[in-house]
Amino acid sequence: MWTLSYNNGVSIKERLIPERKEGESLIQVVMTCLCRTDNWIANGDIPVEKNRIIGHEFSGKIVDSDIFSKNQTVAVFPFISCKKCIVCKKDERYCPYKEQLGWHRDGSFSQFICVPDSQIFPVKMETEYEAKMFAYAEPVAAS
């Protein structure tokens, strides 16, 4: 699969399709958006591991999952809390240990991505255009 990865700037790289772990689903990316965070990562202003796939605002279709239907259109919340700390017990949104797709984990500037099932939200869409609109779910919610 083709990816946009950080390596002292960004470059297009070919990588294997990721293998999902237990509690994750494999998603085919339908639409991904460019965020200011991606720009900061590309410029080296936010440090990430070499070859990290950037991007976190996206929508997609389920390819492989234990709990979602194949080809189900989904939106994804890209911030993954630890679900263990005292803060998470009150409100996971404020977890001091949260990870972000495209920063701490491989992101959505790729053809496929593995995401924890807890971050996936099925949406009912009639057309491919409508499915792409859900790539904007996170930035709209954050504004």
Side-chain angles (χ1 to χ4, degrees), residues 5-133:
S5 302
Y6 176 80
N7 192 3
N8 294 326
V10 291
S11 58
I12 296 172
K13 297 190 181 270
E14 190 170 12
R15 291 185 33 186
L16 296 173
I17 294 173
E19 292 185 26
R20 71 178 182 91
K21 299 174 187 152
E22 186 176 335
E24 293 183 337
S25 292
L26 177 64
I27 299 172
Q28 181 179 12
V29 176
V30 170
M31 175 79 160
T32 191
C33 305
L34 182 64
C35 174
R36 187 176 306 170
T37 304
D38 303 315
N39 193 23
W40 289 333
I41 291 170
N43 289 332
D45 298 327
I46 294 176
V48 297
E49 290 179 14
K50 299 277 188 217
N51 298 313
R52 171 70 67 214
I53 300 170
I54 65 173
H56 62 275
E57 299 172 353
F58 72 102
S59 60
K61 292 192 177 284
I62 296 292
V63 174
D64 187 27
S65 176
D66 291 331
I67 63 172
F68 298 105
S69 301
K70 187 172 178 149
N71 293 319
Q72 170 72 55
T73 300
V74 295
V76 174
F77 185 65
F79 303 99
I80 304 161
S81 65
C82 75
K83 299 180 182 5
K84 297 176 185 173
C85 71
I86 193 164
V87 176
C88 280
K89 292 182 193 307
K90 290 187 176 245
D91 192 336
E92 290 181 18
R93 294 176 298 171
Y94 302 108
C95 177
Y97 308 107
K98 70 181 168 216
E99 296 181 340
Q100 179 177 317
L101 297 175
W103 185 347
H104 307 99
R105 296 178 180 216
D106 281 338
S108 61
F109 281 112
S110 59
Q111 293 171 287
F112 298 91
I113 183 173
C114 288
V115 176
D117 293 331
S118 61
Q119 307 308 111
I120 298 171
F121 299 89
V123 294
K124 293 190 180 203
M125 293 290 102
E126 306 263 331
T127 68
E128 194 73 22
Y129 175 76
E130 290 175 319
K132 289 178 180 180
M133 291 185 341

